[in-house]
Amino acid sequence: MEEELKCFVKVWVSAIISVSYCYYIPSKIKSGVHRLLSVLPVCVLFLVLPLCFVFTIFSSTTAFCLSLLANFKLILFAFDKGPLLPLPTNLFRFICFTCLPIKLQNNPNSQIHLPKWVFFGKAAIFGVLLNVHNYKSLLPPILLICLYPLHLYLVLDVLLTIVNALLTIVLGCDLEPHFNEPYLATSLQDFWGHRWNLMVPAIFRPGVYSPVSSVCQHQMRSDWARFMGCWTTFFVSGLIHELVYFYINRETPTWEVTWFFVLHGFCTAMEKAVKRKIRWSLSPMLSRLITVGFLVVTGYLLFFRQIERSNMLERRANEASLFIDFVKRKVFNF
């Protein structure tokens, strides 16, 4: 554990130095290809850094923050687009907005503030789920199908909400929430575009969807161009998730995760196309049941099976125990 923590410090110090370079040098270069070439070495470095770790908690966190988010932010920054513009007022803010999964809240008044008990309720359910996994061999399969997506949602929502709250105090500005109650989604478009991991669509929309749609409009009708933009965005997302899985497991990709996003990209694009042609009305409750049911079933078949086979959750639990034991020895001397 001690060596892994030393490696973690070295990796993130090198990331901070690299982002500092981007703040002082590429930001002075005219936007376009020349600025892109100046940030590409940093992007390559961020693709390599997660390979320095053995523990999944460090490799997955670094892959998500640096290999995925920071790289896309820097590429968009090269063309004067994305969440790094306007340029943050100081280096510390630039480092935070580049390396961490946060985005400035453009319209703070539009943010829906849920009662505090909702967050504490989610945290309590998450704590229960951590113990339930110890008895998963005794649970019926139908319950496991729901358990994995619920666990993923709660761990991301709880941890990222805490990160957002702390950084809001440190930076002194309002930050975008990461989730908007995704279990209330009434369609796939609503789920992926407006409720789930909102940091990612905020990057993919200008980084993948808009340029692909724009290029395709010169070759085909606007409806087909939007379809290709939507499907390509999901395909890219699938490849990136496959890369994150590789960082964690260091195994040959099975491409199940990519197929999950390819399927959802096709279904979301078809849903948007049908909505433009046909108007239909379903009750919100029925729409939510269909949407969440489709997500849970396809997620279990294509997304979570790989997690199950690799014992990722059990490995995370063992790593957490090792970390707690390490802290006890070093800080409390017992």
Side-chain angles (χ1 to χ4, degrees):
M1 173 58 75
E2 189 168 355
E3 290 301 317
E4 196 76 358
L5 288 173
K6 288 180 180 178
C7 182
F8 183 81
V9 171
K10 291 177 182 177
V11 163
W12 279 87
V13 167
S14 64
I16 290 171
I17 293 172
S18 301
V19 173
S20 301
Y21 151 79
C22 293
Y23 181 76
Y24 286 112
I25 306 299
S27 63
K28 305 299 189 293
I29 301 174
K30 185 179 179 181
S31 63
V33 176
H34 292 93
R35 188 188 291 180
L36 176 64
L37 291 175
S38 69
V39 302
L40 275 182
V42 175
C43 295
V44 173
L45 174 65
F46 285 177
L47 289 174
V48 174
L49 288 179
L51 297 173
C52 298
F53 299 108
V54 176
F55 278 32
T56 63
I57 184 66
F58 294 141
S59 59
S60 59
T61 302
T62 304
F64 177 66
C65 291
L66 299 183
S67 304
L68 169 56
L69 295 181
N71 272 353
F72 265 95
K73 289 176 184 178
L74 289 174
I75 292 171
L76 289 171
F77 168 69
F79 296 96
D80 274 347
K81 296 180 179 179
L84 294 181
L85 288 175
L87 191 69
T89 53
N90 56 59
L91 175 61
F92 178 70
R93 280 198 169 199
F94 185 80
I95 292 172
C96 289
F97 282 110
T98 304
C99 294
L100 300 177
I102 58 174
K103 180 178 179 289
L104 192 65
Q105 176 80 32
N106 295 322
N107 187 7
N109 294 326
S110 67
Q111 186 175 342
I112 299 174
H113 297 279
L114 295 173
K116 292 182 180 179
W117 65 263
V118 174
F119 170 77
F120 291 111
K122 292 177 183 178
I125 296 172
F126 174 57
V128 172
L129 284 181
L130 291 178
N131 293 316
V132 168
H133 275 290
N134 296 327
Y135 307 96
K136 81 173 186 179
S137 59
L138 304 175
L139 299 175
I142 189 65
L143 185 57
L144 284 175
I145 292 176
C146 301
L147 195 63
Y148 284 117
L150 181 60
H151 179 100
L152 176 65
Y153 164 58
L154 289 176
V155 69
L156 290 175
D157 192 25
V158 170
L159 294 180
L160 291 176
T161 298
I162 293 172
V163 169
N164 254 24
L166 293 175
L167 289 173
T168 296
I169 296 171
V170 172
L171 297 173
C173 59
D174 293 304
L175 301 175
E176 292 274 4
H178 291 89
F179 295 92
N180 181 22
E181 312 308 317
Y183 48 84
L184 297 179
T186 56
S187 66
L188 292 177
Q189 182 184 3
D190 182 33
F191 179 86
W192 292 113
H194 305 289
R195 292 187 180 274
W196 180 262
N197 203 0
L198 300 177
M199 182 80 256
V200 174
I203 292 175
F204 280 178
R205 199 171 286 116
V208 182
Y209 176 81
S210 295
V212 170
S213 300
S214 179
V215 170
C216 290
Q217 279 182 348
H218 298 293
Q219 309 295 329
M220 57 187 73
R221 296 202 327 261
S222 58
D223 288 351
W224 282 105
R226 287 192 292 267
F227 181 95
M228 289 303 299
C230 179
W231 184 85
T232 304
T233 301
F234 277 85
F235 178 65
V236 171
S237 180
L239 293 178
I240 291 172
H241 280 80
E242 205 77 58
L243 180 63
V244 173
Y245 269 52
F246 173 75
Y247 285 134
I248 295 171
N249 297 321
R250 311 293 164 86
E251 297 175 355
T252 304
T254 63
W255 304 111
E256 292 168 284
V257 178
T258 302
W259 278 112
F260 170 80
F261 283 98
V262 166
L263 172 64
H264 277 258
F266 177 80
C267 292
T268 303
M270 286 297 297
E271 178 186 89
K272 292 170 66 178
V274 170
K275 281 181 178 178
R276 292 192 187 95
K277 301 293 183 180
I278 305 172
R279 291 187 177 182
W280 80 86
S281 178
L282 294 175
S283 68
M285 183 60 70
L286 181 59
S287 298
R288 286 167 185 151
L289 284 174
I290 294 172
T291 302
V292 174
F294 181 75
L295 286 159
V296 168
V297 173
T298 55
Y300 181 74
L301 293 175
L302 294 173
F303 194 93
F304 294 105
R305 283 282 180 87
Q306 196 167 341
I307 294 178
E308 194 175 38
R309 286 194 303 268
S310 63
N311 296 317
M312 192 183 302
L313 297 179
E314 289 76 6
R315 288 156 58 194
R316 285 281 182 92
N318 292 335
E319 292 169 7
S321 297
L322 289 172
F323 180 75
I324 292 171
D325 291 341
F326 175 80
V327 171
K328 286 181 178 179
R329 290 196 308 270
K330 292 294 184 179
V331 178
F332 301 105
N333 296 317
F334 65 82

